[in-house]
Amino acid sequence: SIVLDDMGLNQLHSDWAVSLKAPLTLSYLTYAKDLANQTQFARAKGHELIIHLPMEPIGAADPGPDALMVNMDQTEIKKRLARALYVLPGAVGVNNHMGSLFTADYRAMSIVLMQIKSSGKLFLDSLTTSNSLVQHIGDKLDVPVVSRDVFLDDVDKEDEIVRRLREVERVALDKGTAIAIGHPRATTLRILEKWLANLPEKKIRLAPLSAVAKKRLNRMQINGALN
């Protein structure tokens, strides 16, 4: 499964991502302009959608509007998450935007995951910190949680992205599934376009995130996404 984060802000690059071979899993920021039309176009092209949910990082970086912060009370966290779920109703799940502080906070992440569970969606842990508690809490609360295996482009260089895609191939062949996260940047999209065209000869099949989650979690259905 190839997940592209930060979708919707740069519409030119987002449209380029949507034009790539489906099914990609496209993670849209809820404050992107013209979100309804952008996501309708993406779904029509055969891609799966998830919500890229801003969460508090360690340090001074700004996670963006309506971010979830560890010092918020339960009511405010639930209200902000409900708003995100409302503006992108076709999403099968959620993954964290930043969130190195938030995903390591047991109380805050428990509130989020219980609401994810009641919504019938899944949560993809982007693993922005090795201290993340998301998988642990998800297992404890019986919430469908899966975790990223490979970051494709935290180094925005062509040869490094090619190397990371080889790592994706290795994980997929060794473990049966792989989840990679990248971004709709020119270098990433150019490399991905070539890589996706050559997938059949690699004996690897592109799958939506929900299908990988189903295989990993042995669940028959996640939010109707597999019907």
Side-chain angles (χ1 to χ4, degrees):
S1 179
I2 302 293
V3 180
L4 294 180
D5 284 350
D6 294 348
M7 287 289 294
L9 294 190
N10 182 325
Q11 194 157 348
L12 183 65
H13 282 182
S14 294
D15 286 349
W16 183 0
V18 169
S19 75
L20 298 181
K21 181 180 178 180
L24 298 173
T25 299
L26 304 178
S27 187
Y28 282 84
L29 288 158
T30 56
Y31 52 86
K33 293 181 180 179
D34 199 25
L35 186 65
N37 284 331
Q38 286 200 65
T39 54
Q40 183 178 12
F41 178 52
R43 293 183 74 186
K45 290 290 187 178
H47 302 293
E48 188 166 77
L49 308 184
I50 61 174
I51 297 164
H52 202 33
L53 187 67
M55 292 180 168
E56 187 174 3
I58 296 169
D62 180 7
D66 291 326
L68 304 186
M69 314 294 278
V70 296
N71 63 355
M72 289 175 175
D73 62 24
Q74 176 172 308
T75 300
E76 184 63 22
I77 291 173
K78 292 177 75 172
K79 183 175 76 173
R80 292 191 177 200
L81 178 53
R83 187 184 302 133
L85 296 173
Y86 175 79
V87 298
L88 220 171
V92 303
V94 174
N95 77 320
N96 51 297
H97 172 58
M98 299 191 185
S100 53
L101 187 65
F102 196 96
T103 57
D105 188 285
Y106 192 94
R107 180 197 71 92
M109 266 318 304
S110 295
I111 295 168
V112 168
L113 290 178
M114 284 304 296
Q115 194 165 348
I116 293 292
K117 182 178 182 178
S118 65
S119 74
K121 300 184 188 299
L122 63 87
F123 192 93
L124 166 63
D125 186 2
S126 303
L127 278 180
T128 55
T129 173
S130 60
N131 295 322
S132 173
L133 297 174
V134 175
Q135 192 74 59
H136 171 71
I137 299 169
D139 291 345
K140 185 174 181 180
L141 299 178
D142 193 29
V143 185
V145 169
V146 289
S147 299
R148 177 269 310 167
D149 296 301
V150 180
F151 267 135
L152 295 179
D153 54 5
D154 49 323
V155 177
D156 189 19
K157 292 183 178 179
E158 187 168 319
D159 58 346
E160 185 62 25
I161 295 168
V162 169
R163 190 185 74 78
R164 302 290 178 90
L165 284 168
R166 290 199 192 104
E167 175 70 5
V168 174
E169 295 169 20
R170 186 192 66 75
V171 173
L173 292 171
D174 285 354
K175 298 184 178 180
T177 62
I179 299 171
I181 292 180
H183 299 82
R185 301 172 184 152
T187 308
T188 304
L189 295 173
R190 188 168 59 249
I191 298 299
L192 262 183
E193 200 162 21
K194 296 176 184 175
W195 185 79
L196 291 168
N198 294 324
L199 267 188
E201 66 192 45
K202 299 176 186 292
K203 299 181 180 179
I204 294 172
R205 183 164 59 92
L206 190 64
L209 180 65
S210 60
V212 172
K214 175 185 173 182
K215 188 173 180 65
R216 289 189 178 185
L217 300 169
N218 196 28
R219 290 169 185 258
M220 292 308 296
Q221 184 177 359
I222 297 173
N223 198 31
L226 307 182
N227 285 346

